[in-house]
Amino acid sequence: AASVPPTSSFRTESVSAPTSVKCLYEGAFYNNGDRIEKKAECQVCTCGDGGNMACDDFPCPALSCDDDELEAHKDDDCCPYCDDSWVEALNPDNTIKKGQKVVLTCAIHVDVSKKDIVWYRGDKKTQQGNLQK
């Protein structure tokens, strides 16, 4: 009895890595190396190799607000900022006679305690005014 050798066939193919893999992040595609700042969450995310998005916390810059500014926050930004529009004079222009008293009215646009507000006339500190919201 004659035996027939088994036959095998091999097929070789060359497989190459894709030249560009994108990251899919929150419904959008990003290229490798793209950075996305997520200010509301204090994070910066970077599209990395293989389409992986890596997010890291970023520190807020140190603030040095002027005397007429308050440290404030916005809902869509985790880092505070210096706000100089926190108070508005509602009747800034008055014509008065010498000796006549005048009442100046201001609108406060932030939550601030009355004890934390100090009024000045020129460089001289005056008594604390009435605060009405």
Side-chain angles (χ1 to χ4, degrees), residues 84-124:
D84 64 354
S85 62
W86 64 275
V87 64
E88 173 188 7
L90 297 179
N91 59 339
D93 299 318
N94 291 287
T95 304
I96 57 172
K97 296 179 183 175
K98 186 175 181 178
Q100 180 181 355
K101 292 186 178 187
V102 64
V103 175
L104 299 176
T105 305
C106 297
I108 308 295
H109 300 295
V110 295
D111 288 330
V112 63
S113 172
K114 180 180 175 181
K115 67 178 177 60
D116 292 331
I117 297 177
V118 179
W119 299 103
Y120 289 86
R121 179 176 294 147
D123 290 336
K124 186 177 178 184

Side-chain angles (χ1 to χ4, degrees), residues 62-75:
L63 289 180
S64 179
C65 298
D66 291 335
D67 289 340
D68 63 343
E69 297 177 321
L70 292 178
E71 186 175 307
H73 295 270
K74 294 180 183 175
D75 290 339

Side-chain angles (χ1 to χ4, degrees), residues 2-130:
S3 81
V4 178
T7 58
S8 301
S9 68
F10 292 97
R11 189 169 139 188
T12 60
E13 291 182 20
S14 175
V15 178
S16 61
T19 57
S20 174
V21 176
K22 294 185 182 260
C23 296
L24 176 61
Y25 185 70
E26 294 185 352
F29 286 99
Y30 296 93
N31 293 316
N32 192 338
D34 284 352
R35 292 171 45 96
I36 301 96
E37 283 191 10
K38 298 175 67 179
K39 290 187 175 189
E41 289 128 31
C42 275
Q43 288 192 325
V44 61
C45 300
T46 305
C47 178
D49 293 334
N52 294 318
M53 187 66 80
C55 296
D56 295 307
D57 293 337
F58 65 85
C60 294
L63 289 180
S64 179
C65 298
D66 291 335
D67 289 340
D68 63 343
E69 297 177 321
L70 292 178
E71 186 175 307
H73 295 270
K74 294 180 183 175
D75 290 339
D76 61 347
D77 194 343
C78 72
C79 293
Y81 67 99
C82 295
D83 185 5
D84 64 354
S85 62
W86 64 275
V87 64
E88 173 188 7
L90 297 179
N91 59 339
D93 299 318
N94 291 287
T95 304
I96 57 172
K97 296 179 183 175
K98 186 175 181 178
Q100 180 181 355
K101 292 186 178 187
V102 64
V103 175
L104 299 176
T105 305
C106 297
I108 308 295
H109 300 295
V110 295
D111 288 330
V112 63
S113 172
K114 180 180 175 181
K115 67 178 177 60
D116 292 331
I117 297 177
V118 179
W119 299 103
Y120 289 86
R121 179 176 294 147
D123 290 336
K124 186 177 178 184
K125 182 176 171 181
T126 64
Q127 71 179 30
Q128 291 180 330
N130 292 327

